[in-house]
Amino acid sequence: MTAAANQSGRRPTTSRRLERAGIRDVAAAAGVSITTVSDALNGKGRLPDETRSRVREVAERLGYRPSAAARTLRTGRSGLIGLTVTTYGEEPFTFTEFAYFAEMARAATSAALGRGYALVVLPASSRHDVWSNIALDGTVVIDPPDQDPLVSELYRSGVPVVSDGKPGNCPVTAWVDNDHEAAVLGILDHLSEAGARRIGLLTGTSTDTYTRLSTEAYVGWCQRVGQEPVYETYPAHDPAAGAVAADRLLARPDRPDAVYGLFDPNGTDLLAAARRYGLRVPDDLLLVCCSESDVYAGTEPPITTLSLKPRRIGTTVVNLLIDAIEGVDSGTGVDIARLFPPRFRTAGTGPPPGTLMPTELIVRASSQRRSPRTTISPPRPPGEV
Amino acid sequence: MTAAANQSGRRPTTSRRLERAGIRDVAAAAGVSITTVSDALNGKGRLPDETRSRVREVAERLGYRPSAAARTLRTGRSGLIGLTVTTYGEEPFTFTEFAYFAEMARAATSAALGRGYALVVLPASSRHDVWSNIALDGTVVIDPPDQDPLVSELYRSGVPVVSDGKPGNCPVTAWVDNDHEAAVLGILDHLSEAGARRIGLLTGTSTDTYTRLSTEAYVGWCQRVGQEPVYETYPAHDPAAGAVAADRLLARPDRPDAVYGLFDPNGTDLLAAARRYGLRVPDDLLLVCCSESDVYAGTEPPITTLSLKPRRIGTTVVNLLIDAIEGVDSGTGVDIARLFPPRFRTAGTGPPPGTLMPTELIVRASSQRRSPRTTISPPRPPGEV
DNA sequence: GATTCATGGAGAAACGGTTCTTCTCGACCT
DNA sequence: AGGTCGAGAAGAACCGTTTCTCCATGAATC
């Protein structure tokens, strides 16, 4: 009864100290209604400037901070965007693992911030009770595996989802990806022009879109030009396995005279392997790898790299997501169409709209037998930005 | 009047379609009250198992997901922890920039997840309206600058704050840091033992605690042993400036015969600079740098590194924070003391409790003129874990 | 046979905002 | 002079939970 008595009764005037000031406190202090306070602070309603500034001043003086939870509950908007990152194995997870993801995440964070949203890091292996307990306005998913239960459920419960990497079976609102096929074909053509007769590939064992599309493009190209595919695979998340695989590739009886490595450290690994086998680069072996690192400008020789432009991807993904969040009022997903110019959309009604971003091939000494040119344009640049 | 009529009246039985099922829908479908539903799903109240499972089943069938916003509003807990990352310059920000931060952030994310919390990435330069609009249970702040307004306000509004890096003037609930002074002294002693007569330092221009403490420890050591300090500074966030500073240091007339570099890339930079000046490592120049990268195991020669053990730091920071969040009921910050064993606490009532974590010196060829030993223990190991 | 007591469950008050609706009052128009 | 109109502001519903309080009911106790 003692404590209970305090609790009943509509806020006993001025009890409960030590608590943060609420909108009611501001209203009382300013001698207006809470409606007026809300309107004044949010720039709504019809109020003379004088009232507005007076309320603002009182709120400031009281150190008033609106409750994010209450606002979210009422408005249905939290200002939070999930950043779903892939996990390898049990506890640790990528993101910050490869330069690509790190850059992409940074760009995404900045872009979200610029539009008033914050990012919640959400490992794909998160316990269900954790992420289902967060009010998300939308989710960015990095490189979704074929059947991601987290993504599926989010999508099903009406949360917009935009993925970096063309999704397999996951339903998503939209997706952004590099034109991996065009990129690989461009590299293979580039190596051919430089005199390669048998081009090898260093690729991964995982089933993500990047690995799959790139490898398929390679195999297809081989069929077309009549070359037997020469490739080695390894688990990309294992840093030590890459060096071993590079070694395997160069140890083959049908040793390639040019190699493209799909992952960041492949350049260093291949260079080391070539040295072990006494192969000169680029004279005996042409080299290209996919990397965002500029250390390859300083290696001996400098190595040609393919940049996936992660900043651009991260920015685009977030902007598409926020467009979807803010463009669709609620419930019916009608005017998503507006967001995607026809040229970016795939087919009519079926698959979600996707955007292909161009890559950039940075040509250095390792892939040329002639005099080096500088940066050249990517093959088939599909988009703007 | 048309739409308004729908809105009044306590939820007109079964209108509003397309909406997600709420607790009321579950209650109605299960033929119980919402109290019972809430209790059944949260394992509270006195309910027979039969009711509990029946309610759970109905909830499952309806795809019921409790509203995070409503729950947060009612309980005052969001399950969200801010991860405040430093920003250099305008738009971009660190975190993922250095291996240390990346590792630390990963460990922090994992640790938080394991205890049911998710991390919100919160650049220090965030617009006020963004982060003040997020319901945070607490905040991790990485390497707080002397006067961080974001941190100050969070702390003032009652949100627990734990910092990685001993805070300058920021008020924090607790902090965790490496024993930078002990680490630097240990390295200097180590180099002295290896025969160094004049030890140089490559350090940063910024005012963060790490840089400051390390530099001060170095200068103090110099005074004590009677050596003139020999150091060069550069803006640590500028990747190109490091190489230039390394060059400057070795170009000095009072060229050191041993160097400790405070930042990750310094090892490579110093090695390259030494080569330019025809200095052999370790014969003419002893080298140590602070780094989390294992590339230094493979350089020629392998370079001795100091590891700050970021995983351990990240895990500890998060656990301390969550302890503070869950340990203190609300309002009065009484039993924080319980969380910090006396040996970890600084002084009595004044400064916030801090924990010093040991570092690890990984000795390799670059800092030895004799036969190499392997990993040695850190100097003055203060803590457990 | 009248009190306890434990059990199972319902009612309703918060939580702290936003926003729809309504009310008042003076100026203006006809 | 009566009615309209718009500005200014207040009232109150509502967002969807959690949780405190209280009410039945039947068994056990005295």
Side-chain angles (χ1 to χ4, degrees):
Chain A
M1 166 63 167
T2 56
N6 259 357
Q7 214 143 359
S8 63
R10 200 88 170 146
R11 180 166 306 227
T13 314
T14 177
S15 84
R16 62 202 299 284
R17 57 196 61 206
L18 271 180
E19 304 277 344
R20 278 171 43 203
I23 197 174
R24 282 173 246 268
D25 302 312
V26 177
V32 295
S33 72
I34 61 171
T35 305
T36 302
V37 174
S38 179
D39 284 348
L41 295 180
N42 294 328
K44 300 188 172 178
R46 299 172 304 201
L47 298 177
D49 287 347
E50 192 273 331
T51 304
R52 225 175 267 279
S53 57
R54 182 163 49 89
V55 170
R56 266 191 243 257
E57 189 182 318
V58 171
E60 170 73 20
R61 182 161 50 79
L62 264 53
Y64 168 67
R65 297 274 168 265
S67 149
R71 175 174 292 174
T72 298
L73 177 58
R74 184 65 235 248
T75 61
R77 286 253 205 293
S78 66
L80 254 30
I81 291 177
L83 178 66
T84 305
V85 296
T86 320
T87 58
Y88 282 131
E90 348 68 50
E91 221 218 321
F93 56 98
T94 63
F95 145 85
T96 76
E97 189 80 322
F98 291 133
Y100 172 85
F101 293 125
E103 283 290 302
M104 185 275 184
R106 281 178 52 183
T109 308
S110 283
L113 198 68
R115 294 187 63 173
Y117 290 76
L119 253 49
V120 182
V121 182
L122 227 49
S125 65
S126 297
R127 287 156 38 189
H128 179 270
D129 61 305
V130 173
W131 60 260
S132 77
N133 201 13
I134 303 174
L136 292 179
D137 289 347
T139 300
V140 167
V141 44
I142 295 181
D143 217 0
D146 259 16
Q147 287 287 10
D148 194 328
L150 193 157
V151 172
S152 296
E153 170 152 353
L154 283 173
Y155 184 83
R156 219 176 322 119
S157 67
V159 178
V161 175
V162 177
S163 79
D164 167 14
K166 187 174 175 180
N169 287 322
C170 289
V172 297
T173 311
W175 56 266
V176 176
D177 205 345
N178 294 111
D179 194 343
H180 294 303
E181 184 177 3
V184 169
L185 296 184
I187 289 169
L188 296 175
D189 287 345
H190 169 70
L191 289 173
S192 280
E193 278 177 31
R197 310 306 302 269
R198 176 159 45 210
I199 306 178
L201 186 75
L202 199 50
T203 180
T205 49
S206 56
T207 62
D208 58 292
T209 309
Y210 169 61
T211 305
R212 194 165 43 74
L213 283 185
S214 300
T215 307
E216 284 173 8
Y218 167 77
V219 173
W221 184 87
C222 285
Q223 285 183 341
R224 228 167 302 130
V225 303
Q227 186 210 299
E228 193 67 25
V230 183
Y231 59 93
E232 293 287 339
T233 66
Y234 76 100
H237 51 102
D238 180 351
V244 177
D247 217 277
R248 272 207 313 273
L249 187 57
L250 297 190
R252 292 173 63 128
D254 55 345
R255 169 154 65 204
D257 60 352
V259 176
Y260 172 47
L262 281 189
F263 302 104
D264 199 313
N266 290 164
T268 314
D269 295 340
L270 284 165
L271 208 52
R275 235 176 242 136
R276 277 194 293 279
Y277 288 101
L279 300 171
R280 293 165 304 167
V281 175
D283 309 78
D284 305 320
L285 184 71
L286 296 167
L287 234 50
V288 176
C289 77
C290 182
S291 166
E292 306 307 326
S293 168
D294 52 3
V295 306
Y296 288 120
T299 50
E300 184 51 47
I303 296 181
T304 297
T305 55
L306 178 77
S307 168
L308 302 179
K309 296 288 172 184
R311 320 272 270 257
R312 207 153 56 178
I313 298 263
T315 305
T316 306
V317 164
V318 163
N319 280 324
L320 281 179
L321 179 59
I322 298 181
D323 286 348
I325 292 170
E326 298 182 346
V328 180
D329 267 6
S330 79
T332 56
V334 266
D335 52 351
I336 285 189
R338 174 176 64 73
L339 304 173
F340 302 96
R343 58 192 285 231
F344 283 154
R345 304 177 59 197
T346 58
T349 157
T355 306
L356 285 181
M357 312 281 295
T359 55
E360 184 184 12
L361 189 64
I362 302 165
V363 178
R364 300 200 184 92
S366 73
S367 67
Q368 299 183 102
R369 300 244 163 88
R370 306 253 159 70
S371 62
R373 283 165 288 168
T374 49
T375 300
I376 66 168
S377 297
R380 306 193 206 162
E384 49 192 350
V385 177
Chain B
M1 167 62 167
T2 58
N6 260 358
Q7 214 142 0
S8 63
R10 202 81 169 153
R11 184 168 302 228
T13 316
T14 176
S15 85
R16 60 201 304 283
R17 57 198 60 205
L18 271 181
E19 304 277 343
R20 276 173 43 203
I23 197 174
R24 279 175 250 266
D25 302 311
V26 178
V32 295
S33 73
I34 61 171
T35 305
T36 302
V37 174
S38 179
D39 284 348
L41 295 179
N42 295 329
K44 299 190 173 178
R46 302 169 301 201
L47 297 177
D49 286 347
E50 191 273 330
T51 304
R52 224 175 268 279
S53 58
R54 184 165 47 88
V55 169
R56 266 190 244 257
E57 191 182 317
V58 171
E60 170 73 19
R61 183 162 50 78
L62 265 52
Y64 168 66
R65 296 274 168 262
S67 150
R71 174 174 292 174
T72 298
L73 176 59
R74 183 64 235 248
T75 64
R77 286 252 204 296
S78 66
L80 256 27
I81 290 178
L83 177 66
T84 305
V85 297
T86 320
T87 58
Y88 283 130
E90 346 68 49
E91 221 218 318
F93 56 99
T94 65
F95 145 85
T96 75
E97 191 78 326
F98 290 132
Y100 172 85
F101 293 125
E103 284 291 301
M104 186 274 180
R106 279 177 54 181
T109 307
S110 282
L113 197 67
R115 295 187 64 172
Y117 290 76
L119 254 48
V120 182
V121 181
L122 228 48
S125 64
S126 296
R127 286 156 38 190
H128 178 273
D129 60 306
V130 173
W131 60 263
S132 77
N133 202 14
I134 303 174
L136 291 179
D137 290 346
T139 301
V140 167
V141 44
I142 294 182
D143 216 2
D146 259 16
Q147 289 286 11
D148 193 328
L150 192 157
V151 172
S152 297
E153 170 151 355
L154 283 173
Y155 184 82
R156 219 176 322 121
S157 67
V159 178
V161 176
V162 177
S163 79
D164 167 14
K166 186 175 175 179
N169 287 324
C170 291
V172 296
T173 311
W175 56 266
V176 176
D177 206 345
N178 294 109
D179 194 344
H180 292 303
E181 184 176 3
V184 169
L185 296 183
I187 288 169
L188 296 175
D189 288 345
H190 169 70
L191 288 172
S192 280
E193 278 177 30
R197 311 305 305 268
R198 177 158 44 209
I199 306 179
L201 186 75
L202 199 49
T203 181
T205 49
S206 56
T207 62
D208 58 293
T209 309
Y210 169 62
T211 306
R212 192 164 43 74
L213 283 185
S214 300
T215 308
E216 284 172 8
Y218 166 78
V219 172
W221 184 87
C222 285
Q223 285 182 343
R224 229 169 300 131
V225 304
Q227 185 210 298
E228 192 67 23
V230 183
Y231 61 91
E232 292 287 339
T233 67
Y234 76 99
H237 56 270
D238 180 351
V244 178
D247 219 276
R248 271 207 314 272
L249 186 57
L250 297 190
R252 291 174 63 127
D254 54 346
R255 169 155 64 203
D257 60 353
V259 176
Y260 173 48
L262 280 189
F263 301 104
D264 199 314
N266 290 164
T268 314
D269 295 340
L270 284 165
L271 207 53
R275 235 175 242 138
R276 275 195 292 280
Y277 287 101
L279 301 172
R280 292 164 305 165
V281 176
D283 310 76
D284 305 320
L285 184 70
L286 297 167
L287 233 50
V288 176
C289 77
C290 182
S291 166
E292 306 307 326
S293 168
D294 52 2
V295 306
Y296 288 120
T299 51
E300 187 50 47
I303 296 180
T304 297
T305 54
L306 178 77
S307 168
L308 303 180
K309 297 287 172 185
R311 321 271 271 254
R312 210 153 55 179
I313 298 263
T315 305
T316 307
V317 164
V318 162
N319 281 324
L320 281 179
L321 179 59
I322 298 181
D323 286 347
I325 291 171
E326 298 181 346
V328 180
D329 267 8
S330 76
T332 56
V334 265
D335 52 351
I336 284 190
R338 173 177 64 74
L339 303 174
F340 302 96
R343 58 194 284 234
F344 283 153
R345 304 177 58 200
T346 58
T349 157
T355 306
L356 285 181
M357 311 281 294
T359 55
E360 183 184 14
L361 189 64
I362 301 165
V363 177
R364 301 200 183 93
S366 72
S367 67
Q368 298 183 99
R369 299 243 164 89
R370 306 252 159 70
S371 62
R373 285 163 288 169
T374 49
T375 300
I376 66 169
S377 297
R380 307 192 205 161
E384 48 193 352
V385 177

